[in-house]
Amino acid sequence: MKETSLLEQLQIETFHCTEQAFQSTMKLSSFHAQPFGFVNGGVYLAYGEVLAGMASNAILAQELISSKDSIDLGSAKQKVAVGQSITANHVKPKRCEGYVVARGQLLHKGGRNHVWMINIFDETDQLLSHMTVTNSIITI
């Protein structure tokens, strides 16, 4: 059996990122459902953490590219973002059909962490979940 990543399993269809914000869509399927046919709240948590990580890592990659003139890339240590904490409030249930839209805003961009506010909406722009994701910035 071929292994698939969480990113593939979530069925994220789009991801558009700027330095301060992002937007994404995720198609829903039976994979995302809890036993009563609604989206499992844990799906929103995984979706939010994956997106915040992608956005923080995009920022870090851009910073590395921007600083390439002033550092030796061969000796530079790479910084990456990893999930540190997440808090969420799921405010409205959604049947597991169609898609959801996530919109994220960077609240804090520090040297050691990034904090993102993420709201997830249904097709009619009704708020489904609100979360805050903190990523720790580490050197590898």
Side-chain angles (χ1 to χ4, degrees):
M1 181 172 164
K2 179 186 179 258
E3 289 188 35
T4 56
S5 70
L6 177 61
L7 190 62
E8 292 168 318
Q9 288 290 322
L10 285 174
Q11 301 175 51
I12 296 170
E13 294 191 328
T14 65
F15 178 73
H16 303 285
C17 184
T18 67
E19 192 170 315
Q20 299 288 318
F22 64 77
Q23 181 166 317
S24 174
T25 58
M26 179 174 66
K27 181 181 175 186
L28 298 173
S29 70
S30 60
F31 170 80
H32 303 96
Q34 45 91 306
F36 302 105
F38 294 96
V39 178
N40 187 306
V43 168
Y44 295 142
L45 295 172
Y47 185 38
E49 186 168 347
V50 164
L51 295 176
M54 290 169 52
S56 286
N57 283 307
I59 290 169
L60 294 170
Q62 186 59 45
E63 288 175 353
L64 182 62
I65 291 167
S66 297
S67 66
K68 72 179 180 179
D69 294 331
S70 61
I71 62 170
D72 174 11
L73 290 179
S75 65
K77 294 187 177 184
Q78 184 179 359
K79 290 184 178 181
V80 296
V82 296
Q84 181 176 353
S85 71
I86 187 168
T87 58
N89 290 294
H90 307 312
V91 296
K92 184 178 178 189
K94 176 177 175 29
R95 288 267 173 212
C96 204
E97 58 194 24
Y99 65 93
V100 293
V101 176
R103 296 185 191 112
Q105 181 71 40
L106 184 62
L107 299 178
H108 171 74
K109 179 183 157 192
R112 290 190 234 168
N113 60 37
H114 293 172
V115 180
W116 293 91
M117 177 185 65
I118 303 168
N119 289 314
I120 299 176
F121 301 91
D122 68 9
E123 299 93 333
T124 64
D125 218 27
Q126 294 290 309
L127 181 66
L128 303 173
S129 185
H130 169 81
M131 66 188 72
T132 304
V133 178
T134 302
N135 287 324
S136 181
I137 308 304
I138 63 169
T139 302
I140 57 172

